[in-house]
Amino acid sequence: MELELQLAVERLHAQYAHALDADQLEDWPNFFTENGRYRIATAENEERGLPLPVLYCEGRGMMRDRIQSLRHANIYEPQRYRHIVSAVLVEKISAREARSSANFLVIRIMQDGATVVFASGRFVDRIALPEMKYDERVVICDSRRFDTLLAIPL
Amino acid sequence: MELELQLAVERLHAQYAHALDADQLEDWPNFFTENGRYRIATAENEERGLPLPVLYCEGRGMMRDRIQSLRHANIYEPQRYRHIVSAVLVEKISAREARSSANFLVIRIMQDGATVVFASGRFVDRIALPEMKYDERVVICDSRRFDTLLAIPL
Amino acid sequence: MELELQLAVERLHAQYAHALDADQLEDWPNFFTENGRYRIATAENEERGLPLPVLYCEGRGMMRDRIQSLRHANIYEPQRYRHIVSAVLVEKISAREARSSANFLVIRIMQDGATVVFASGRFVDRIALPEMKYDERVVICDSRRFDTLLAIPL
């Protein structure tokens, strides 16, 4: 049972990563429960208890709006992302909820081929069971330095 | 059963990564079926349907030739690679075949110690069951920029 | 059984990574057996059989001393680390011991937000069963180039 939950959570994280890396942003809200929350924060602000997320969405509707805005305001240089997810810890809280903490690395590839480490940090998640959707996903970035491209979900 | 297949595929990917990183290139063809195919492509060309692989091998014989050429034409600066494989999705197609998609990152370490992100992308695989060998491994690189070192399998 | 051991070892590696990344260095010795050994080496020296570890600790006591020294001599620029662990191979040697080989990548994030690949390499471990603690952890770094910050465990 525990093994199954571990692998199911890793599979969820993997599908999420592949969707974003394939630029299937319209699928992104579907990884969350109807009222799911998504937040990007910096490690520094999290530790200080400062409620200053870089990005905050509550509910799939708000997420869909976000993606639509992104698509219309597509003024960015074309680019690709590649997510590496590692060290996935899973804990079953109840029949309805699991929690997970995982390390991530996001690589950004610009159109000219230049490849850089774009972001690193932790995914801290509450996962609804048995639906296997994020009830909350907090992306805690190690670096305090962000450029505007962070408007794209990590 | 499903758990076993997931872990068996992850183990195959891990053994492949360790073999390349240990410069055991002569073992590389043994990860494939006798007529297995190996291809390195760019994401851009794959999306456009352009049949222009950076590297293409069909069958173990051709792979062995490739490695032999590499060994004889070893004009490169000595270097190491380190493969990071993540977000491994596995799907069982039949009793004879599984498919897998995984993210990868390859780090290159030059002789002076300089460390860079060399390549990122996806492994898209057809795996022969129950042999657990690649019937096809397509390496889809995010970047369009390659240097000649890509002659070494990823 | 084999699946359980695989996931238990991956969990151990994950907890170790999260502890270091969260700067919980005082917990670090607890991942080892009482007489456990920890060693950081370069791939080059390992291959040449040179017994010149960058860092060597034998036993939890020595590890605790090491951490205490680090805390008192904290003259470094504040920084964060992020461990990515991948391609985890596990082999059961006996009822009392498992061995594991895994690839790693450590990202360093400086206070100004700059993010670099700090180290890459392999963890080569002997794990005591059923305690699931490291009896030996050898960190084999790909690069020969280290700065003094390597005084911090990887």
Side-chain angles (χ1 to χ4, degrees), chain C residues 13-14 44 55 63 67 84 86 100 102 109-110 114 130 137:
Chain C
H13 293 346
E44 200 179 356
L55 176 60
M63 294 176 193
I67 297 303
I84 301 294
S86 171
S100 164
I109 304 95
M110 304 310 285
R137 161 150 273 201

Side-chain angles (χ1 to χ4, degrees), chain A residues 35-108:
Chain A
N35 299 310
R37 291 177 303 281
Y38 176 80
R39 190 156 58 88
I40 301 180
T42 64
E44 199 180 356
N45 281 359
E46 281 292 295
E47 285 159 13
R48 290 183 182 174
L50 295 179
L52 291 170
V54 177
L55 176 62
Y56 182 78
C57 284
E58 188 165 351
R60 281 190 201 154
M62 198 168 159
M63 293 177 195
R64 279 189 282 263
D65 288 350
R66 178 99 212 161
I67 296 304
Q68 217 175 350
S69 306
L70 265 176
R71 290 297 192 200
H72 283 105
N74 199 343
I75 51 169
Y76 305 131
E77 184 187 354
Q79 61 203 287
R80 289 176 194 283
Y81 290 91
R82 187 62 53 197
H83 282 71
I84 301 294
V85 184
S86 171
V88 179
L89 291 175
V90 177
E91 194 187 357
K92 188 168 185 170
I93 301 297
S94 73
R96 305 293 301 277
E97 185 187 347
R99 294 195 189 165
S100 164
S101 186
N103 283 353
F104 73 84
L105 195 63
V106 180
I107 303 297
R108 187 164 72 185

Side-chain angles (χ1 to χ4, degrees), chain A residues 7 18 21 80 82-83 85 113, chain B residues 47 86-87 103 122 142-143:
Chain A
L7 290 181
H18 284 283
D21 292 346
R80 289 176 194 283
R82 187 62 53 197
H83 282 71
V85 184
Chain B
E47 284 158 14
S86 171
N103 283 353
R122 278 184 303 146
D142 293 321
S143 176

Side-chain angles (χ1 to χ4, degrees), chain B residues 7 18 21 80 82-83 85 113, chain C residues 47 86-87 103 122 142-143:
Chain B
L7 290 181
H18 283 282
D21 293 347
R80 290 176 193 283
R82 187 61 53 197
H83 282 70
V85 184
Chain C
E47 284 158 14
S86 171
N103 283 353
R122 279 184 303 145
D142 293 320
S143 176

